[in-house]
Amino acid sequence: MVRRVRLWSGLVLLAFVVTHYVNHALGLVGLEALDAGRQAFLWLWRSLPGTLIFYGALLVHMALAFWAIYERRRLAMPPWEAVQLLVGLAIPPLLILHILGNRLAAELLATNDSYIFVLLIYFVFNPVALAKQTTVMLLVWVHACVGLHYWLRLKPLYRRLLPLAYGLAVLIPTVSLTGVMVAGRDVARLAEDPEWLAAATQQLNFPDEQGIALIYAIENGFYLAFAAALVLVLAARPLRSWWQRRHGIVNLTYPDGKRISVVLGTTILEASRGAGIPHASVCGGRGRCSTCRVRIAGGGLEALAAPSEAESRVLGRIGASPNVRLACQTRPNADLEVTPLLPPAPAMREVGPKPGYLQGEEREIAILFADLRDFTSLSEDKLPFDVVFILNRYFAAMGLAVEESGGRVDKFIGDGVMALFGVESDHKRGCVDALSAARRMSERLLEINAALKHDLEQPLRIGIGIHTGAVIVGEMGYGRAVSVTAIGDAVNTASRLEAMTKDLGAQLVVSDPVARIADVDLSAFPLQEIEVRGRARPLEVRVVKNALSLPVAADHRVAPAG
Ligand code: FES
């Protein structure tokens, strides 16, 4: 809720700033265009609804900045977040005189705060204030752009439009400031004429000394109130910690055995940061990116408060299991073991939504192994270049056959291939796809042999083994060598069936469960029984001399029975 209010108040302020800056840019056209633009700007923002919306958003946004400081258990934060917070806090004191001198003076002292009024102040009466106003214009813009960027950065459309966004981020303040400078120079030139200056100051109703003193008194009052609020918030934090310490401390244990103690109410992300433990948090702890997710173990898991609606939504999007929580949203109330699930600086591909199986899931899939027969002896009289060329053609053809059939290549091992089917679909589909892939591999091999007939003394031959069963699927590996793979007895059995093709002189050995689950009639192929570790009964397998003889449907997939 707080996050949403902060976002919407920020968007209102951004709309105000963009319209204001675009108005400034009309200074490039001339003073008349500048004031014509101002009429539209005033119509929008000085109407009663516009005034309530703008000043309401301003107050809420400021109050939420104080709340964010109070809420944090520790002030340790990434540099970009610290800059964003400091810039945000600097803006109100730097901007207050501009607001008082224009809007408030217009309301209280009946000044005509037109562009000429403001430009006379900055370019004629008080040029020092121009530097301050230019600085605050840029700070406001930086603050808005950073906030917007961290809100949108995970959205695919924004990533596609990033060059345009960068262009606008530079173009808008540049054109705006140039408009101000050009218009200011024009006003300064007009003000060289004392008669024009006297008439203008009278017509604009510049405040007298009393009016100016009133503006400065209100400004000082604001500074005092702002400083007091900041001091109160900063003082409230240790008071709260003291209170909570009297009421409880929880211990968090990390995978390397590091144990840290934090006061109740601290989020796991704050605890990591406070203890200097690197912890991914791409969205800066706003509960949007899921990169801070942790697996939780230990007795405190049951004691945790249920995830909020927003956290549940993010966890649901990545298919997280019940013991996975967002570190930035979870406040332990008992001792916990926490394991961050992403590296501290995750790649963007790890940031977006991920299917649950990537985090490790038991699934029933089909596994295919294929291997070139006698390739070692075949390659003995070949140059290394030729061997690599032939192998790459073979890998490309086999990889394509797998992918066209709906599977995913797990890995190439030597001259062999391991592929998984049904990871993203269901069990039956996986078994049908694996059989289809075997058929396609056989087809592709014929094509390669035809294409390379002058380079090969004898045609390439393959052996394929397919089995199905429950395996653990997940993203495994380290660093760049991370990929989706599967482990389990069914994988070993599939590999064993592939090895059997050599002794049986067949191109494909497929376990009977694959045919049964795929609902494909393989009764035309000889049946054999083999002993498999972990199975009480022997495993029945079908021996297929040539995978091209598998039944085929119109879509080139192996045809289910009936
Ligand atoms: S840091 Fe992004 S969801 Fe927690």
Side-chain angles (χ1 to χ4, degrees):
M1 176 66 179
V2 169
R3 236 174 37 219
R4 218 170 288 167
V5 174
R6 184 187 298 136
L7 172 67
W8 281 105
S9 57
L11 288 175
V12 169
L13 297 179
L14 177 68
F16 179 90
V17 168
V18 170
T19 46
H20 203 28
Y21 285 16
V22 168
N23 193 171
H24 292 351
L26 291 175
L28 287 168
V29 182
L31 289 172
E32 276 178 21
L34 205 53
D35 257 321
R38 180 171 172 267
Q39 294 314 312
F41 178 80
L42 294 187
W43 174 82
L44 191 62
W45 295 108
R46 280 209 188 164
S47 61
L48 184 61
T51 300
L52 290 176
I53 290 173
F54 171 64
Y55 285 100
L58 193 61
L59 286 175
V60 166
H61 211 68
M62 251 167 53
L64 289 182
F66 286 126
W67 176 252
I69 297 172
Y70 171 77
E71 264 274 282
R72 286 178 170 275
R73 304 293 138 158
R74 297 171 190 266
L75 288 179
M77 61 186 94
W80 74 264
E81 225 182 310
V83 170
Q84 179 72 341
L85 186 64
L86 288 175
V87 169
L89 286 176
I91 289 170
L94 286 172
L95 200 57
I96 187 66
L97 192 58
H98 182 70
I99 297 174
L100 297 177
N102 289 276
R103 182 73 197 261
L104 196 80
E107 301 294 344
L108 289 185
L109 309 171
T111 55
N112 175 359
D113 62 327
S114 66
Y115 265 100
I116 293 181
F117 175 88
V118 179
L119 293 170
L120 272 174
I121 294 174
Y122 290 140
F123 285 83
V124 177
F125 301 144
N126 188 5
V128 178
L130 177 63
K132 182 176 140 195
Q133 195 55 25
T134 307
T135 307
V136 80
M137 265 183 79
L138 293 175
L139 288 181
V140 165
W141 191 247
V142 168
H143 184 72
C145 288
V146 171
L148 205 58
H149 174 71
Y150 277 90
W151 171 47
L152 295 173
R153 66 181 296 197
L154 305 178
K155 304 206 187 289
L157 179 66
Y158 173 69
R159 277 189 241 153
R160 277 207 300 280
L161 296 178
L162 209 52
L164 177 68
Y166 280 145
L168 286 175
V170 174
L171 185 72
I172 291 177
T174 308
V175 178
S176 178
L177 275 172
T178 314
V180 170
M181 295 303 159
V182 169
R185 193 198 52 199
D186 290 348
V187 168
R189 203 176 295 133
L190 289 170
E192 285 167 9
D193 175 357
E195 273 179 31
W196 180 91
L197 186 59
T201 43
Q202 195 180 13
Q203 193 244 322
L204 296 170
N205 193 23
F206 265 84
D208 56 17
E209 272 180 24
Q210 233 179 347
I212 291 173
L214 176 67
I215 298 285
Y216 282 134
I218 298 175
E219 183 196 14
N220 290 336
F222 173 82
Y223 288 147
L224 268 179
F226 190 83
L230 195 56
V231 169
L232 268 177
V233 167
L234 290 173
R237 298 177 68 256
L239 274 177
R240 178 198 53 204
S241 294
W242 169 80
W243 172 260
Q244 287 179 332
R245 209 167 279 127
R246 284 194 58 182
H247 289 80
I249 288 226
V250 290
N251 299 306
L252 303 183
T253 310
Y254 287 75
D256 59 358
K258 191 164 184 175
R259 188 178 160 93
I260 58 174
S261 301
V262 290
V263 293
L264 273 177
T266 308
T267 68
I268 297 173
L269 183 63
E270 286 169 340
S272 299
R273 284 174 178 172
I277 297 170
H279 200 137
S281 56
V282 169
C283 73
R286 288 168 171 73
R288 293 197 205 111
C289 66
S290 85
T291 53
C292 64
R293 59 186 178 262
V294 287
R295 181 176 298 121
I296 290 179
L301 177 60
E302 285 81 39
L304 279 181
S308 67
E309 198 190 317
E311 186 186 353
S312 298
R313 210 169 30 243
V314 175
L315 291 171
R317 213 173 59 208
I318 58 168
S321 52
N323 62 345
V324 170
R325 295 289 298 265
L326 298 184
C328 65
Q329 305 298 311
T330 307
R331 300 177 191 276
N333 39 19
D335 293 358
L336 287 179
E337 289 161 30
V338 295
T339 306
L341 293 175
L342 289 190
M348 279 319 277
R349 69 179 179 81
E350 295 170 300
V351 171
K354 289 176 137 196
Y357 66 79
L358 294 186
Q359 295 162 53
E361 203 171 86
E362 193 179 46
R363 303 198 46 153
E364 292 193 303
I365 62 167
I367 308 107
L368 177 151
F369 275 86
D371 203 23
L372 271 180
R373 293 278 157 265
D374 300 325
F375 188 73
T376 317
S377 58
L378 199 133
S379 62
E380 264 162 13
D381 56 347
K382 295 242 168 297
L383 291 170
F385 174 83
D386 292 330
V387 173
V388 170
F389 172 74
I390 294 169
L391 273 181
N392 278 337
R393 282 221 45 185
Y394 159 76
F395 286 142
M398 297 303 112
L400 215 60
V402 168
E403 285 169 6
E404 280 175 353
S405 307
R408 60 190 300 159
V409 174
D410 180 298
K411 52 177 85 72
F412 292 107
I413 317 151
D415 55 19
V417 183
M418 174 180 165
L420 309 177
F421 297 84
V423 172
E424 277 133 3
S425 55
D426 59 39
H427 194 190
K428 178 176 179 182
R429 180 85 261 168
C431 291
V432 173
D433 289 348
L435 288 167
S436 305
R439 201 177 188 289
R440 278 201 169 98
M441 284 171 141
S442 188
E443 269 172 19
R444 299 268 180 212
L445 198 70
L446 282 181
E447 287 164 18
I448 296 179
N449 282 332
L452 299 178
K453 66 173 184 269
H454 300 300
D455 302 295
L456 296 166
E457 270 137 43
Q458 47 181 307
L460 297 176
R461 287 179 302 123
I462 48 169
I464 305 169
I466 305 176
H467 183 50
T468 183
V471 293
I472 307 269
V473 182
E475 253 186 345
M476 300 177 216
Y478 176 72
R480 291 181 182 192
V482 172
S483 65
V484 177
T485 190
I487 51 169
D489 283 344
V491 177
N492 304 333
T493 305
S495 167
R496 205 175 136 206
L497 298 190
E498 178 270 309
M500 280 176 64
T501 57
K502 218 181 298 179
D503 304 328
L504 296 169
Q507 194 175 52
L508 168 67
V509 173
V510 51
S511 70
D512 208 42
V514 174
R516 222 177 35 247
I517 293 161
D519 196 17
V520 172
D521 182 9
L522 297 186
S523 57
F525 302 101
L527 193 67
Q528 281 218 4
E529 288 190 341
I530 62 164
E531 296 297 330
V532 175
R533 189 166 53 98
R535 280 179 72 102
R537 297 213 327 247
L539 177 68
E540 293 187 329
V541 298
R542 295 282 172 179
V543 181
V544 182
K545 284 274 175 225
N546 187 339
L548 277 176
S549 54
L550 288 169
V552 65
D555 63 353
H556 290 283
R557 288 179 189 270
V558 164

PDB file of all heavy atoms in Angstrom, residues 154 269 273 280-293 314 326-329, ligand 1:
ATOM      1  N   LEU A 154      12.309  -3.533 -14.832  1.00  0.00           N
ATOM      2  CA  LEU A 154      12.090  -4.962 -15.044  1.00  0.00           C
ATOM      3  C   LEU A 154      11.011  -5.231 -16.089  1.00  0.00           C
ATOM      4  O   LEU A 154      10.729  -6.366 -16.411  1.00  0.00           O
ATOM      5  CB  LEU A 154      11.711  -5.635 -13.726  1.00  0.00           C
ATOM      6  CG  LEU A 154      12.704  -5.427 -12.594  1.00  0.00           C
ATOM      7  CD1 LEU A 154      12.218  -6.077 -11.326  1.00  0.00           C
ATOM      8  CD2 LEU A 154      14.068  -5.978 -12.980  1.00  0.00           C
ATOM      9  N   LEU A 269      16.514  -8.840   4.327  1.00  0.00           N
ATOM     10  CA  LEU A 269      17.422  -8.080   3.459  1.00  0.00           C
ATOM     11  C   LEU A 269      18.186  -7.036   4.270  1.00  0.00           C
ATOM     12  O   LEU A 269      19.397  -6.863   4.110  1.00  0.00           O
ATOM     13  CB  LEU A 269      16.638  -7.407   2.330  1.00  0.00           C
ATOM     14  CG  LEU A 269      17.477  -6.636   1.321  1.00  0.00           C
ATOM     15  CD1 LEU A 269      18.423  -7.563   0.572  1.00  0.00           C
ATOM     16  CD2 LEU A 269      16.600  -5.893   0.312  1.00  0.00           C
ATOM     17  N   ARG A 273      22.232  -6.790   4.699  1.00  0.00           N
ATOM     18  CA  ARG A 273      22.982  -5.560   4.403  1.00  0.00           C
ATOM     19  C   ARG A 273      23.724  -5.064   5.629  1.00  0.00           C
ATOM     20  O   ARG A 273      24.877  -4.655   5.555  1.00  0.00           O
ATOM     21  CB  ARG A 273      22.038  -4.472   3.903  1.00  0.00           C
ATOM     22  CG  ARG A 273      21.586  -4.677   2.481  1.00  0.00           C
ATOM     23  CD  ARG A 273      20.550  -3.634   2.158  1.00  0.00           C
ATOM     24  NE  ARG A 273      20.087  -3.707   0.786  1.00  0.00           N
ATOM     25  CZ  ARG A 273      19.070  -2.985   0.328  1.00  0.00           C
ATOM     26  NH1 ARG A 273      18.444  -2.143   1.123  1.00  0.00           N
ATOM     27  NH2 ARG A 273      18.692  -3.086  -0.925  1.00  0.00           N
ATOM     28  N   ALA A 280      21.373 -10.007  -3.311  1.00  0.00           N
ATOM     29  CA  ALA A 280      20.762  -9.399  -4.501  1.00  0.00           C
ATOM     30  C   ALA A 280      19.492  -8.646  -4.125  1.00  0.00           C
ATOM     31  O   ALA A 280      18.710  -9.109  -3.290  1.00  0.00           O
ATOM     32  CB  ALA A 280      20.422 -10.490  -5.511  1.00  0.00           C
ATOM     33  N   SER A 281      19.309  -7.474  -4.729  1.00  0.00           N
ATOM     34  CA  SER A 281      18.067  -6.716  -4.492  1.00  0.00           C
ATOM     35  C   SER A 281      17.931  -5.719  -5.622  1.00  0.00           C
ATOM     36  O   SER A 281      18.078  -4.516  -5.430  1.00  0.00           O
ATOM     37  CB  SER A 281      18.112  -5.994  -3.142  1.00  0.00           C
ATOM     38  OG  SER A 281      19.242  -5.164  -3.073  1.00  0.00           O
ATOM     39  N   VAL A 282      17.613  -6.248  -6.801  1.00  0.00           N
ATOM     40  CA  VAL A 282      17.593  -5.418  -8.014  1.00  0.00           C
ATOM     41  C   VAL A 282      16.602  -4.260  -7.901  1.00  0.00           C
ATOM     42  O   VAL A 282      16.861  -3.164  -8.360  1.00  0.00           O
ATOM     43  CB  VAL A 282      17.294  -6.311  -9.247  1.00  0.00           C
ATOM     44  CG1 VAL A 282      16.987  -5.463 -10.472  1.00  0.00           C
ATOM     45  CG2 VAL A 282      18.482  -7.214  -9.528  1.00  0.00           C
ATOM     46  N   CYS A 283      15.444  -4.473  -7.253  1.00  0.00           N
ATOM     47  CA  CYS A 283      14.459  -3.386  -7.175  1.00  0.00           C
ATOM     48  C   CYS A 283      14.663  -2.538  -5.925  1.00  0.00           C
ATOM     49  O   CYS A 283      13.847  -1.675  -5.619  1.00  0.00           O
ATOM     50  CB  CYS A 283      13.046  -3.941  -7.227  1.00  0.00           C
ATOM     51  SG  CYS A 283      12.563  -4.781  -5.710  1.00  0.00           S
ATOM     52  N   GLY A 284      15.758  -2.800  -5.196  1.00  0.00           N
ATOM     53  CA  GLY A 284      16.061  -1.980  -4.023  1.00  0.00           C
ATOM     54  C   GLY A 284      15.148  -2.282  -2.842  1.00  0.00           C
ATOM     55  O   GLY A 284      14.893  -1.391  -2.034  1.00  0.00           O
ATOM     56  N   GLY A 285      14.639  -3.490  -2.757  1.00  0.00           N
ATOM     57  CA  GLY A 285      13.833  -3.860  -1.589  1.00  0.00           C
ATOM     58  C   GLY A 285      12.390  -3.438  -1.711  1.00  0.00           C
ATOM     59  O   GLY A 285      11.691  -3.315  -0.701  1.00  0.00           O
ATOM     60  N   ARG A 286      11.907  -3.237  -2.918  1.00  0.00           N
ATOM     61  CA  ARG A 286      10.521  -2.798  -3.083  1.00  0.00           C
ATOM     62  C   ARG A 286       9.558  -3.952  -3.336  1.00  0.00           C
ATOM     63  O   ARG A 286       8.401  -3.738  -3.675  1.00  0.00           O
ATOM     64  CB  ARG A 286      10.444  -1.790  -4.231  1.00  0.00           C
ATOM     65  CG  ARG A 286      11.060  -0.469  -3.869  1.00  0.00           C
ATOM     66  CD  ARG A 286      11.222   0.404  -5.115  1.00  0.00           C
ATOM     67  NE  ARG A 286      11.624   1.735  -4.750  1.00  0.00           N
ATOM     68  CZ  ARG A 286      12.832   2.065  -4.323  1.00  0.00           C
ATOM     69  NH1 ARG A 286      13.766   1.125  -4.205  1.00  0.00           N
ATOM     70  NH2 ARG A 286      13.137   3.306  -4.007  1.00  0.00           N
ATOM     71  N   GLY A 287      10.069  -5.157  -3.257  1.00  0.00           N
ATOM     72  CA  GLY A 287       9.188  -6.317  -3.405  1.00  0.00           C
ATOM     73  C   GLY A 287       8.689  -6.525  -4.812  1.00  0.00           C
ATOM     74  O   GLY A 287       7.602  -7.060  -5.006  1.00  0.00           O
ATOM     75  N   ARG A 288       9.469  -6.137  -5.805  1.00  0.00           N
ATOM     76  CA  ARG A 288       8.981  -6.262  -7.175  1.00  0.00           C
ATOM     77  C   ARG A 288       9.764  -7.270  -8.009  1.00  0.00           C
ATOM     78  O   ARG A 288       9.244  -7.838  -8.951  1.00  0.00           O
ATOM     79  CB  ARG A 288       9.082  -4.911  -7.898  1.00  0.00           C
ATOM     80  CG  ARG A 288       8.176  -3.880  -7.364  1.00  0.00           C
ATOM     81  CD  ARG A 288       8.048  -2.747  -8.375  1.00  0.00           C
ATOM     82  NE  ARG A 288       7.692  -1.543  -7.682  1.00  0.00           N
ATOM     83  CZ  ARG A 288       8.474  -0.502  -7.531  1.00  0.00           C
ATOM     84  NH1 ARG A 288       9.666  -0.502  -8.045  1.00  0.00           N
ATOM     85  NH2 ARG A 288       8.063   0.551  -6.870  1.00  0.00           N
ATOM     86  N   CYS A 289      11.069  -7.424  -7.697  1.00  0.00           N
ATOM     87  CA  CYS A 289      11.918  -8.157  -8.640  1.00  0.00           C
ATOM     88  C   CYS A 289      12.089  -9.627  -8.285  1.00  0.00           C
ATOM     89  O   CYS A 289      12.415 -10.424  -9.149  1.00  0.00           O
ATOM     90  CB  CYS A 289      13.282  -7.502  -8.718  1.00  0.00           C
ATOM     91  SG  CYS A 289      14.183  -7.625  -7.166  1.00  0.00           S
ATOM     92  N   SER A 290      11.949  -9.981  -7.042  1.00  0.00           N
ATOM     93  CA  SER A 290      12.114 -11.342  -6.526  1.00  0.00           C
ATOM     94  C   SER A 290      13.569 -11.785  -6.430  1.00  0.00           C
ATOM     95  O   SER A 290      13.844 -12.920  -6.081  1.00  0.00           O
ATOM     96  CB  SER A 290      11.306 -12.370  -7.336  1.00  0.00           C
ATOM     97  OG  SER A 290      12.018 -12.806  -8.461  1.00  0.00           O
ATOM     98  N   THR A 291      14.526 -10.894  -6.768  1.00  0.00           N
ATOM     99  CA  THR A 291      15.929 -11.331  -6.746  1.00  0.00           C
ATOM    100  C   THR A 291      16.468 -11.528  -5.331  1.00  0.00           C
ATOM    101  O   THR A 291      17.500 -12.145  -5.144  1.00  0.00           O
ATOM    102  CB  THR A 291      16.839 -10.314  -7.452  1.00  0.00           C
ATOM    103  OG1 THR A 291      16.607  -9.040  -6.883  1.00  0.00           O
ATOM    104  CG2 THR A 291      16.577 -10.281  -8.934  1.00  0.00           C
ATOM    105  N   CYS A 292      15.773 -11.001  -4.334  1.00  0.00           N
ATOM    106  CA  CYS A 292      16.262 -11.152  -2.962  1.00  0.00           C
ATOM    107  C   CYS A 292      15.763 -12.449  -2.333  1.00  0.00           C
ATOM    108  O   CYS A 292      16.005 -12.700  -1.168  1.00  0.00           O
ATOM    109  CB  CYS A 292      15.794  -9.963  -2.117  1.00  0.00           C
ATOM    110  SG  CYS A 292      14.003  -9.912  -1.964  1.00  0.00           S
ATOM    111  N   ARG A 293      15.063 -13.270  -3.098  1.00  0.00           N
ATOM    112  CA  ARG A 293      14.372 -14.425  -2.509  1.00  0.00           C
ATOM    113  C   ARG A 293      15.323 -15.363  -1.759  1.00  0.00           C
ATOM    114  O   ARG A 293      16.463 -15.564  -2.185  1.00  0.00           O
ATOM    115  CB  ARG A 293      13.584 -15.181  -3.565  1.00  0.00           C
ATOM    116  CG  ARG A 293      14.370 -15.713  -4.733  1.00  0.00           C
ATOM    117  CD  ARG A 293      13.396 -16.311  -5.743  1.00  0.00           C
ATOM    118  NE  ARG A 293      14.043 -16.812  -6.939  1.00  0.00           N
ATOM    119  CZ  ARG A 293      14.124 -16.138  -8.081  1.00  0.00           C
ATOM    120  NH1 ARG A 293      13.657 -14.905  -8.152  1.00  0.00           N
ATOM    121  NH2 ARG A 293      14.691 -16.680  -9.139  1.00  0.00           N
ATOM    122  N   VAL A 314       4.233 -11.820  -6.266  1.00  0.00           N
ATOM    123  CA  VAL A 314       5.575 -11.967  -6.839  1.00  0.00           C
ATOM    124  C   VAL A 314       6.050 -13.418  -6.702  1.00  0.00           C
ATOM    125  O   VAL A 314       6.589 -14.002  -7.650  1.00  0.00           O
ATOM    126  CB  VAL A 314       6.564 -11.007  -6.140  1.00  0.00           C
ATOM    127  CG1 VAL A 314       7.976 -11.234  -6.628  1.00  0.00           C
ATOM    128  CG2 VAL A 314       6.155  -9.574  -6.386  1.00  0.00           C
ATOM    129  N   LEU A 326      10.449 -13.512   0.020  1.00  0.00           N
ATOM    130  CA  LEU A 326      11.226 -12.348  -0.399  1.00  0.00           C
ATOM    131  C   LEU A 326      11.920 -11.783   0.832  1.00  0.00           C
ATOM    132  O   LEU A 326      11.253 -11.429   1.814  1.00  0.00           O
ATOM    133  CB  LEU A 326      10.321 -11.282  -1.013  1.00  0.00           C
ATOM    134  CG  LEU A 326       9.560 -11.682  -2.273  1.00  0.00           C
ATOM    135  CD1 LEU A 326       8.779 -10.482  -2.809  1.00  0.00           C
ATOM    136  CD2 LEU A 326      10.492 -12.209  -3.346  1.00  0.00           C
ATOM    137  N   ALA A 327      13.255 -11.681   0.768  1.00  0.00           N
ATOM    138  CA  ALA A 327      14.002 -11.220   1.938  1.00  0.00           C
ATOM    139  C   ALA A 327      13.639  -9.786   2.306  1.00  0.00           C
ATOM    140  O   ALA A 327      13.679  -9.410   3.474  1.00  0.00           O
ATOM    141  CB  ALA A 327      15.497 -11.331   1.664  1.00  0.00           C
ATOM    142  N   CYS A 328      13.253  -8.989   1.305  1.00  0.00           N
ATOM    143  CA  CYS A 328      12.981  -7.579   1.603  1.00  0.00           C
ATOM    144  C   CYS A 328      11.617  -7.380   2.260  1.00  0.00           C
ATOM    145  O   CYS A 328      11.315  -6.301   2.744  1.00  0.00           O
ATOM    146  CB  CYS A 328      13.089  -6.737   0.330  1.00  0.00           C
ATOM    147  SG  CYS A 328      11.853  -7.142  -0.894  1.00  0.00           S
ATOM    148  N   GLN A 329      10.779  -8.414   2.229  1.00  0.00           N
ATOM    149  CA  GLN A 329       9.421  -8.266   2.774  1.00  0.00           C
ATOM    150  C   GLN A 329       9.215  -9.102   4.037  1.00  0.00           C
ATOM    151  O   GLN A 329       8.160  -9.038   4.648  1.00  0.00           O
ATOM    152  CB  GLN A 329       8.385  -8.693   1.728  1.00  0.00           C
ATOM    153  CG  GLN A 329       8.514  -7.982   0.404  1.00  0.00           C
ATOM    154  CD  GLN A 329       8.311  -6.493   0.517  1.00  0.00           C
ATOM    155  OE1 GLN A 329       7.339  -6.038   1.123  1.00  0.00           O
ATOM    156  NE2 GLN A 329       9.225  -5.707  -0.009  1.00  0.00           N
TER     157      GLN A 329
HETATM  158  S1  FES B   1      14.680  -6.702  -3.530  1.00  0.00           S
HETATM  159 FE1  FES B   1      13.339  -6.863  -5.200  1.00  0.00          FE
HETATM  160  S2  FES B   1      11.798  -8.141  -4.387  1.00  0.00           S
HETATM  161 FE2  FES B   1      13.120  -7.955  -2.721  1.00  0.00          FE
END
